[in-house]
Amino acid sequence: MKGFIFYNPTQIVFGEDQTKKIGKYIKDKKCLLLYGGGSIKKNGIYDKVVESLNKYNVSFVEKSGIKPNPVLSFVYEAIEFAKKEQVEAILAVGGGSVIDSAKAIAAGFYYYGDVWDFFIDKAQIKQALPIYTVLTLAATASEMNSGAVITNEKTKQKFNIRSDCLFPKVSILDPINTYTVPKDQVANGSVDAIVHLLEGYFTKKYPNTPIQDGFVETLVKTIISSTKEILKEPANYDARANFMWSATLALNGLTTAGIGEYAFPNHMIGHSLSALFDIAHGQSLSIVFPAWLKYNKDTLNNRLEHFGKEVFGVKSPDKAIEELEIYFKAIGAPTKLKDVNLSEADIEAIAQNAISLAKKWGLNDYSTEKIASILKFAL
Amino acid sequence: MKGFIFYNPTQIVFGEDQTKKIGKYIKDKKCLLLYGGGSIKKNGIYDKVVESLNKYNVSFVEKSGIKPNPVLSFVYEAIEFAKKEQVEAILAVGGGSVIDSAKAIAAGFYYYGDVWDFFIDKAQIKQALPIYTVLTLAATASEMNSGAVITNEKTKQKFNIRSDCLFPKVSILDPINTYTVPKDQVANGSVDAIVHLLEGYFTKKYPNTPIQDGFVETLVKTIISSTKEILKEPANYDARANFMWSATLALNGLTTAGIGEYAFPNHMIGHSLSALFDIAHGQSLSIVFPAWLKYNKDTLNNRLEHFGKEVFGVKSPDKAIEELEIYFKAIGAPTKLKDVNLSEADIEAIAQNAISLAKKWGLNDYSTEKIASILKFAL
């Protein structure tokens, strides 16, 4: 095992009917209530949250309209609003987009420069408003990690930040809050969580990490089986619960602690698909990841064989990739560029965009040519 | 999955040569340096710690002599000493006994009554000195949890406390610090960590917990294989590292979050063996656990079959228990009462002692008769 620091102070409150406790945890702080397109008003989660805030005398102002691939312009507006309202905490009710926006706003609140400075490594986050979340979409693990990804619409950059001050204080994970998540978003979340787990699993260099390998395999298997159950029966509590907790554990630091250096090449390329064409994050990954595996098949031979055996019970590297593609297709996730109306003509632009993220993330062995070659496997 | 709260703010600093950083984390606080029988002076860990404390201007006083099955009388003395010296933090350098003592002292420091009140639920821990640890023996996971077990020599009670204020702030886990741990203590630690994992695995009532099951199976397999490697080659870094991190994850809350109600019946009985006869904790468990499995074989049938298949690749419940006993014997752990010079004549006393802990822990389906019946399987 390689050396690591593991630190994750987020308190997870998991279970049926826990949403009503959110006010108790925030107590006495004026908060900015953030949410997305308004589905929480239709499914009753908004009412539950507001009832709890009122019960525990939490005053709040609200701002909504966050969309998938959350954008910098919203973050700017919300920072101004939060400052004007002198809020003392942020409550994000939603999925990764809402929570990531909350983190960017929380960091920007105490900073006198441009919050984008944090994303381009021009400044370091030193302070942030405390963040609380009520998760309504299991996918990104933002509810239990210190990172956030925001898209700068002007520069077409989908970039990330990370800081210990951005760990949510408390996250409420009530599986029932995800019962109404539509099938395509369930599929996106499933792909996202699986690829979170497998980026480290397939890019790490250090061989002897049986704990982390076993955890990843357990989580991938659980995500696959629970996703299938959810698509058949959206109100299956255990399936929603197993999926929700798996997705959280997929990117909370646990499965990568000790594996040494690893990288996110599929996120790097996927982010460019999202930044340029507003493709959902999960969709970008179900297209890129099988292509990336095929491109790297020879070097990943043994690893793919082990993965195939443990997760799908198949024997060859080819079969392992095939099973993953079959799974993606079965849940309705795109696996080719044409599935999202892109073609070979778009590859150059994606590769050009991705290379700036490759530089930021230190993926120095990625050239535009290599990225293009990978994407050709998705034609 | 059942509802749960997961909260674990301990920062783990894992890896070779990390001991030298401990002073940086404690900085500016006067600390009480606690350790055991002095092995840390022989193997050089003491010098490394002191050098780091000096480097970061951490002033300290020290108290040593903590033994396995740490006792209340030491805790009393150390609380008085800590108060007199007005320390601001505790640094535990050792294994579970030293860290558990540190926690009891940390809690007693701010309490004007008898610290044993916390153990008998007469008072609640509301405040504690910050605790830092340098782990030298992988076994109990006390370095990343909020519990502690202390033996009251007068009343012959081995009881526990738990409080969110008792999570260590920072724990240094350097596998090299465990290179000189003797074989019998490696075996004890291995048994302890395995039984920590399997108490929940075999006593939970809720069936659908694939994440937690997979994590437990991964950790048990890793502990078994790394223990064997360590016994062959004590300075095998990867084996020590995999063992160390597995033991920490075995009781840091992760594998039990979501499994619902579970119990520690084997610890309950084992603690009595230790309290009455000063049997090492690990030894008490390698004797009690196979007996407990045999007693409960019929009700645990399916679970044992699943466990046997996943961990040992065997097919029947009998084989699963047999493989576990074979493993315990192979690492030199006792599996019968006679292996620690006890006999049928001692069973009654153990059962009588255990029943008081059964009451404290709410194990209401355990009578002295039942405990005696279990122990008869260890004859």
Side-chain angles (χ1 to χ4, degrees):
Chain A
M1 206 184 313
K2 299 292 271 181
F4 63 86
I5 289 180
F6 183 85
Y7 173 64
N8 193 322
T10 298
Q11 180 165 346
I12 298 293
V13 181
F14 192 104
E16 200 173 333
D17 212 18
Q18 296 303 304
T19 309
K20 65 181 179 194
K21 296 196 183 145
I22 187 64
K24 191 178 79 175
Y25 290 105
I26 303 177
K27 66 166 182 204
D28 305 332
K29 296 183 212 66
K30 177 175 179 181
C31 83
L32 170 60
L33 171 60
L34 276 186
Y35 54 98
S39 64
I40 63 165
K41 290 209 169 165
K42 286 181 213 134
N43 58 27
I45 298 171
Y46 177 88
D47 289 339
K48 277 188 211 167
V49 167
V50 168
E51 192 182 331
S52 177
L53 296 180
N54 289 335
K55 183 173 171 191
Y56 292 97
N57 295 311
V58 176
S59 67
F60 67 96
V61 290
E62 59 181 84
K63 191 152 173 58
S64 65
I66 297 166
K67 288 180 186 149
N69 296 321
V71 291
L72 183 61
S73 57
F74 182 94
V75 170
Y76 285 147
E77 275 174 39
I79 291 171
E80 287 317 304
F81 182 60
K83 284 180 176 174
K84 197 189 87 193
E85 292 287 344
Q86 298 186 292
V87 304
E88 298 159 296
I90 302 186
L91 169 56
V93 181
S97 300
V98 178
I99 302 172
D100 282 9
S101 299
K103 289 176 179 174
I105 297 160
F109 183 85
Y110 288 110
Y111 183 59
Y112 289 94
D114 179 349
V115 69
W116 192 248
D117 289 352
F118 298 134
F119 292 80
I120 53 172
D121 301 324
K122 228 180 105 180
Q124 265 208 320
I125 300 166
K126 296 210 173 109
Q127 203 183 353
L129 285 168
I131 297 158
Y132 299 81
T133 88
V134 173
L135 188 66
T136 64
L137 180 79
T140 72
S142 190
E143 64 278 9
M144 200 186 185
N145 67 36
S146 60
V149 181
I150 295 290
T151 298
N152 182 332
E153 314 100 297
K154 283 197 187 153
T155 64
K156 295 275 180 197
Q157 287 168 314
K158 186 170 177 180
F159 274 14
N160 68 303
I161 48 173
R162 185 169 300 281
S163 164
D164 278 355
C165 11
L166 298 182
F167 279 108
K169 299 292 174 210
V170 176
S171 284
I172 306 271
L173 273 62
D174 178 350
I176 291 176
N177 285 343
T178 64
Y179 277 7
T180 53
V181 172
K183 290 189 177 186
D184 60 330
Q185 288 187 37
V186 171
N188 286 341
S190 182
V191 173
D192 191 19
I194 288 171
V195 180
H196 284 157
L197 289 160
L198 296 182
E199 293 262 36
Y201 187 88
F202 282 112
T203 60
K204 77 182 178 76
K205 304 273 186 295
Y206 202 76
N208 194 345
T209 58
I211 304 167
Q212 297 82 351
D213 290 357
F215 283 12
V216 166
E217 290 150 10
T218 293
L219 292 169
V220 171
K221 282 192 280 185
T222 305
I223 291 166
I224 289 175
S225 61
S226 57
T227 303
K228 288 177 181 171
E229 287 165 2
I230 290 167
L231 293 179
K232 266 190 223 151
E233 189 195 340
N236 179 327
Y237 183 85
D238 267 345
R240 290 283 187 183
N242 287 329
F243 181 71
M244 195 174 214
W245 189 221
S246 294
T248 300
L249 293 173
L251 198 65
N252 79 337
L254 178 70
T255 65
T256 49
I259 67 171
E261 268 186 67
Y262 64 100
F264 283 92
N266 294 285
H267 276 70
M268 180 244 315
I269 304 174
H271 281 356
S272 292
L273 260 86
S274 298
L276 292 173
F277 307 105
D278 205 24
I279 310 286
H281 179 53
Q283 295 194 320
S284 75
L285 294 173
S286 59
I287 293 166
V288 173
F289 190 52
W292 183 86
L293 286 175
K294 286 170 191 171
Y295 178 88
N296 291 288
K297 204 180 71 182
D298 291 342
T299 47
L300 296 176
N301 197 51
N302 294 338
R303 194 78 184 141
L304 270 166
E305 198 173 299
H306 181 78
F307 171 74
K309 180 171 156 263
E310 293 297 327
V311 173
F312 294 114
V314 297
K315 284 185 180 168
S316 75
D318 283 317
K319 279 277 176 198
I321 300 175
E322 196 184 315
E323 286 291 335
L324 198 66
E325 275 190 304
I326 290 172
Y327 170 68
F328 286 165
K329 283 177 192 162
I331 63 172
T335 56
K336 300 287 177 194
L337 286 168
K338 68 172 159 30
D339 297 338
V340 292
N341 301 317
L342 296 177
S343 70
E344 190 159 10
D346 300 302
I347 287 182
E348 182 59 25
I350 302 168
Q352 288 293 345
N353 184 287
I355 204 71
S356 71
L357 200 52
K359 277 177 195 149
K360 176 173 151 74
W361 288 0
L363 285 159
N364 299 322
D365 51 336
Y366 281 79
S367 60
T368 50
E369 292 74 23
K370 180 172 169 177
I371 297 167
S373 300
I374 292 167
L375 285 166
K376 282 182 186 154
F377 280 97
L379 287 174
Chain B
M1 207 184 311
K2 300 292 274 183
F4 64 86
I5 289 180
F6 183 86
Y7 173 63
N8 193 322
T10 299
Q11 180 166 345
I12 298 293
V13 180
F14 192 104
E16 200 174 333
D17 211 19
Q18 297 302 304
T19 308
K20 65 181 180 195
K21 296 196 182 144
I22 188 64
K24 190 180 79 174
Y25 290 105
I26 303 177
K27 69 168 181 202
D28 304 333
K29 298 183 210 69
K30 177 176 180 180
C31 85
L32 170 60
L33 171 60
L34 276 185
Y35 54 99
S39 63
I40 62 165
K41 291 210 170 167
K42 285 181 215 135
N43 58 27
I45 298 171
Y46 177 87
D47 289 338
K48 277 190 211 167
V49 167
V50 168
E51 193 183 329
S52 177
L53 296 179
N54 288 336
K55 183 175 171 189
Y56 291 96
N57 295 313
V58 177
S59 66
F60 65 95
V61 290
E62 60 180 83
K63 193 153 171 55
S64 64
I66 297 166
K67 289 183 185 145
N69 296 319
V71 292
L72 183 62
S73 56
F74 181 94
V75 170
Y76 285 148
E77 275 174 39
I79 291 171
E80 287 317 306
F81 182 60
K83 283 180 177 173
K84 197 189 88 194
E85 292 287 343
Q86 298 186 292
V87 303
E88 298 158 296
I90 302 185
L91 168 57
V93 181
S97 300
V98 178
I99 302 172
D100 283 8
S101 298
K103 289 175 179 174
I105 297 160
F109 184 86
Y110 288 110
Y111 183 59
Y112 290 94
D114 180 348
V115 69
W116 192 248
D117 289 352
F118 297 134
F119 291 82
I120 54 173
D121 300 325
K122 229 180 104 179
Q124 265 206 324
I125 300 166
K126 295 206 173 113
Q127 202 182 352
L129 285 169
I131 297 157
Y132 299 81
T133 88
V134 173
L135 189 65
T136 64
L137 180 79
T140 72
S142 190
E143 65 279 8
M144 200 186 185
N145 68 35
S146 60
V149 182
I150 295 291
T151 299
N152 182 332
E153 312 100 295
K154 283 196 187 153
T155 63
K156 296 274 179 197
Q157 287 168 315
K158 186 171 177 178
F159 274 15
N160 68 302
I161 47 174
R162 187 168 296 281
S163 165
D164 277 354
C165 8
L166 299 182
F167 279 107
K169 299 293 174 211
V170 176
S171 284
I172 306 272
L173 274 61
D174 178 350
I176 291 177
N177 286 343
T178 63
Y179 277 8
T180 53
V181 172
K183 290 189 175 184
D184 61 329
Q185 288 187 38
V186 171
N188 286 342
S190 182
V191 173
D192 191 20
I194 288 171
V195 180
H196 284 158
L197 289 160
L198 297 181
E199 292 263 35
Y201 187 88
F202 282 113
T203 60
K204 77 183 178 77
K205 304 275 187 293
Y206 201 76
N208 194 345
T209 58
I211 304 168
Q212 298 81 352
D213 291 357
F215 282 12
V216 166
E217 291 150 10
T218 293
L219 292 170
V220 171
K221 282 192 280 185
T222 305
I223 292 167
I224 288 175
S225 60
S226 56
T227 303
K228 287 177 181 171
E229 287 163 3
I230 290 167
L231 293 179
K232 264 190 225 152
E233 189 194 341
N236 180 326
Y237 183 85
D238 267 346
R240 291 283 186 183
N242 286 330
F243 181 72
M244 195 175 215
W245 188 221
S246 294
T248 300
L249 294 172
L251 197 66
N252 80 337
L254 178 71
T255 65
T256 48
I259 68 171
E261 268 186 67
Y262 65 100
F264 282 93
N266 294 285
H267 276 71
M268 178 239 325
I269 304 174
H271 280 355
S272 292
L273 260 85
S274 297
L276 292 174
F277 307 105
D278 205 24
I279 310 285
H281 179 52
Q283 295 193 321
S284 76
L285 294 173
S286 60
I287 294 166
V288 172
F289 190 52
W292 182 86
L293 285 174
K294 286 171 191 170
Y295 177 89
N296 290 288
K297 203 180 73 182
D298 291 342
T299 47
L300 296 176
N301 197 52
N302 294 339
R303 195 77 183 140
L304 270 166
E305 198 174 299
H306 180 78
F307 171 73
K309 180 171 156 265
E310 294 296 327
V311 174
F312 294 113
V314 297
K315 284 184 179 169
S316 75
D318 284 318
K319 278 277 176 197
I321 301 176
E322 196 184 314
E323 287 291 335
L324 198 66
E325 276 190 304
I326 290 172
Y327 171 68
F328 286 166
K329 283 177 193 163
I331 63 171
T335 57
K336 300 288 178 193
L337 287 168
K338 68 171 160 33
D339 298 338
V340 292
N341 301 316
L342 296 177
S343 71
E344 190 159 10
D346 301 302
I347 286 181
E348 182 60 24
I350 302 168
Q352 288 293 344
N353 183 287
I355 204 70
S356 71
L357 200 53
K359 278 179 194 146
K360 175 173 153 72
W361 288 359
L363 284 160
N364 300 322
D365 51 337
Y366 280 79
S367 60
T368 51
E369 292 74 21
K370 181 171 168 178
I371 296 167
S373 301
I374 291 167
L375 285 166
K376 281 181 187 156
F377 280 95
L379 287 173

